[in-house]
Amino acid sequence: MSPPEKKAKTGGYKLYYWGGIPGRGEYIRLAFEYAGESYSEMNAANKLIPTITNPAKVGFPPHFAPPVLELPSGRFISQTPAILNYLAPRYKLAGEKGSRVLEKDLSDEEREEAEEERAIVNQLTLTALDLCNEAHDVHHPIASSKYYEDQKEAALARAEDFRKLRIPKFLKHFQSVLASNPATEAGTKTYLVGKQTTTADLTLFHVVDGLLFAFPKRLGALQKSGDYEDVFALYERVKSEKGIKEYIASGRRQAFSMGLFRHYEELDAE
Amino acid sequence: MSPPEKKAKTGGYKLYYWGGIPGRGEYIRLAFEYAGESYSEMNAANKLIPTITNPAKVGFPPHFAPPVLELPSGRFISQTPAILNYLAPRYKLAGEKGSRVLEKDLSDEEREEAEEERAIVNQLTLTALDLCNEAHDVHHPIASSKYYEDQKEAALARAEDFRKLRIPKFLKHFQSVLASNPATEAGTKTYLVGKQTTTADLTLFHVVDGLLFAFPKRLGALQKSGDYEDVFALYERVKSEKGIKEYIASGRRQAFSMGLFRHYEELDAE
């Protein structure tokens, strides 16, 4: 946990991630954009990996992969869900109770409730990120180190299973969470936890956005079925949320292309 | 967050997971066993999924997949890393500073240090779990819903990449973390964070154990190389740690078989 001396007073958040793609860095960006928090991006492509894996540059511990976030304290953390879980209570993105974990003077019962709600937000964020990971593995089922074209046959087989079984299974889960949220009223079930935006909402929004890009035919058919109405309503709600709306309008948000979510005509179908 | 009335006073931890395999439930069991905390297992195979996905049974929210943990409060949480992150500070498994998050009266600086160290432990736990996920995908590269035998060709290709590139990449990372830990002295670098056991140590221990079962030839060669000495030393250290040693000796620990970590002769090589 001891960063090198020169990093001790950097101030502000710095996101170390690849430039040019939304990627996993986007989940972190969305939290900052929603919160109106300023952050800078460090994306020098050829220096990214040598930097984040080197304890002499990032302090202890070195990191496995980007995104890596440099904190105002000068310390660094990585792993998308760990970063989101760290940031969430700072921006009231860990639920009404869950965001209280940073407060002093909570009773034992209040602290327990706060810890539990923060864990629930973490859980739902992790499940949305699992769907993102599976969407990536569809076009790279054999190895990240190989071209898509060299694993296309396996990708076609995996895409069929992903479209038919996996996407509906995940959407059904999130629909069930939204529909059973006791804090929201019937007809406006667009919050995964309580009645305020959490990192789980932001993450699910981006995953649905990525799936709409990568599998437009399949997502179109699923949307038309009407079985996942609240999931698509959440997507529309987050899109026009304060902070997110301005971010999208700014043109700063990277377009999907050849990152985690990829559109290959042959991998999509209704 | 409101569980059904009848669940409100159950007391004790109950782990909902498949019986007969270590699986992802094992990471939770190891935390309890290390801590000497009692817990019960709910593994009624045909009722597991209908239970955890049903808000009428588990309260809000319903869950995507096991493991699911019922808390003494009667509430439920799922997602292995979310459960571990929740339990960690309770059993001093979130690092010396990180485990202080549940304390009252921390100064702002102490709370920030606690949050950061807990995040680092979470980060390293997540990376070890990523390696576990990849080990699973080696024998199921196309679909979890299909038999290994029906995706064997793709599995052979993925296994080659996993053995040659992925296992060494992860082990190199953990070796680098262990070797650069400023809290431990040269020669005894067996703690990932600070100088006490964390969920990251327990998780990495089980992943290495799983890899030794699934890929004995490859792990043997990597151990012999001497490049990952501290990783294997951590494995041996955790194995004889108080709590874990007794758990292994008790015979209660499930043997590896046809779960996440599987041994197929044809997928292993030096």
Side-chain angles (χ1 to χ4, degrees), chain A residues 110-256:
Chain A
E110 286 169 331
R111 182 155 301 282
E112 177 58 26
E113 282 182 344
E115 281 283 325
E116 290 182 9
E117 192 168 84
R118 187 191 197 180
I120 291 296
V121 171
N122 188 17
Q123 163 193 322
L124 293 163
T125 303
L126 282 157
T127 302
L129 289 172
D130 281 347
L131 177 52
C132 167
N133 290 341
E134 291 197 21
H136 166 269
D137 289 356
V138 163
H139 54 77
H140 276 76
I142 305 297
S144 293
S145 60
K146 293 192 171 105
Y147 290 114
Y148 162 68
E149 287 71 19
D150 296 331
Q151 50 195 311
K152 195 169 163 179
E153 201 186 331
L156 286 163
R158 182 152 184 157
E160 193 184 343
D161 182 85
F162 183 66
R163 289 193 315 266
K164 285 193 184 164
L165 299 180
R166 301 303 288 174
I167 302 180
K169 185 174 174 170
F170 277 97
L171 294 193
K172 189 180 165 190
H173 167 68
F174 286 115
Q175 174 65 31
S176 168
V177 173
L178 289 165
S180 64
N181 183 349
T184 51
E185 288 163 29
T188 55
K189 298 270 188 188
T190 66
Y191 294 91
L192 285 167
V193 176
K195 42 189 178 180
Q196 63 190 60
T197 297
T198 63
T199 55
D201 292 341
L202 297 178
T203 302
L204 182 58
F205 156 74
H206 185 66
V207 173
V208 170
D209 206 34
L211 292 174
L212 284 165
F213 168 78
F215 304 94
K217 286 182 189 161
R218 183 57 176 148
L219 267 278
L222 291 170
Q223 187 160 14
K224 221 168 136 183
S225 76
D227 293 340
Y228 316 101
E229 223 177 328
D230 295 339
V231 175
F232 289 102
L234 175 149
Y235 171 75
E236 293 299 336
R237 195 259 303 162
V238 172
K239 206 181 201 174
S240 52
E241 196 87 347
K242 187 170 171 347
I244 303 303
K245 192 180 176 177
E246 291 77 5
Y247 175 46
I248 296 171
S250 74
R252 286 184 294 113
R253 191 176 185 223
Q254 311 270 5
F256 291 110

Side-chain angles (χ1 to χ4, degrees), chain B:
Chain B
M1 295 291 288
S2 313
E5 196 59 32
K6 63 174 178 134
K7 292 285 182 189
K9 284 174 186 169
T10 47
Y13 289 100
K14 291 182 187 165
L15 178 64
Y16 290 68
Y17 197 67
W18 307 111
I21 53 164
R24 290 188 177 87
E26 190 64 13
Y27 300 105
I28 318 299
R29 291 184 197 110
L30 287 170
F32 285 137
E33 297 287 346
Y34 175 82
E37 174 77 51
S38 69
Y39 62 102
S40 53
E41 301 242 3
M42 314 294 277
N43 57 20
N46 56 345
K47 287 185 188 161
L48 187 59
I49 300 300
T51 299
I52 65 163
T53 58
N54 186 349
K57 304 215 167 168
V58 295
F60 177 81
H63 302 275
F64 185 74
V68 177
L69 186 68
E70 184 176 346
L71 308 178
S73 68
R75 299 196 185 95
F76 294 69
I77 52 174
S78 61
Q79 276 284 1
T80 308
I83 296 171
L84 291 175
N85 186 58
Y86 169 84
L87 292 177
R90 284 165 172 72
Y91 304 133
K92 310 289 177 214
L93 284 167
E96 195 183 340
K97 289 176 182 169
S99 297
R100 297 189 67 191
V101 292
L102 303 180
E103 288 179 28
K104 295 176 185 179
D105 307 323
L106 293 185
S107 69
D108 288 347
E109 196 185 340
E110 286 169 330
R111 182 156 302 282
E112 176 60 25
E113 282 181 344
E115 281 282 325
E116 290 182 9
E117 191 168 83
R118 186 191 198 180
I120 291 296
V121 171
N122 188 17
Q123 163 193 322
L124 292 163
T125 303
L126 283 157
T127 302
L129 289 172
D130 281 349
L131 178 51
C132 167
N133 290 340
E134 291 197 22
H136 166 271
D137 289 356
V138 163
H139 54 78
H140 277 75
I142 305 296
S144 293
S145 61
K146 293 191 171 107
Y147 289 113
Y148 162 67
E149 288 71 19
D150 296 331
Q151 48 196 312
K152 195 169 162 179
E153 202 186 329
L156 285 164
R158 181 152 184 158
E160 194 184 345
D161 181 85
F162 183 66
R163 289 193 316 266
K164 286 192 184 164
L165 299 179
R166 302 302 289 174
I167 302 180
K169 186 174 173 170
F170 277 98
L171 294 193
K172 189 181 165 191
H173 167 67
F174 286 114
Q175 174 65 31
S176 168
V177 173
L178 289 165
S180 64
N181 183 348
T184 51
E185 286 163 29
T188 56
K189 298 268 186 191
T190 67
Y191 295 92
L192 285 167
V193 176
K195 41 188 178 181
Q196 62 189 59
T197 297
T198 63
T199 55
D201 292 342
L202 297 178
T203 303
L204 181 58
F205 156 74
H206 185 66
V207 173
V208 170
D209 205 34
L211 292 173
L212 284 165
F213 167 79
F215 304 94
K217 286 183 190 162
R218 183 57 176 147
L219 267 277
L222 291 170
Q223 187 160 14
K224 222 167 137 183
S225 76
D227 293 341
Y228 316 101
E229 224 177 327
D230 295 339
V231 176
F232 289 102
L234 175 149
Y235 171 75
E236 293 299 337
R237 195 258 304 162
V238 173
K239 206 181 199 174
S240 53
E241 196 87 346
K242 189 172 171 345
I244 303 303
K245 192 180 176 178
E246 290 77 5
Y247 175 46
I248 295 171
S250 73
R252 287 184 293 113
R253 191 176 184 221
Q254 312 269 6
F256 291 110
S257 57
M258 294 298 274
L260 292 168
F261 294 102
R262 299 189 187 181
H263 176 62
Y264 291 110
E265 188 76 34
E266 63 274 21
L267 300 184
D268 191 21
E270 287 198 358

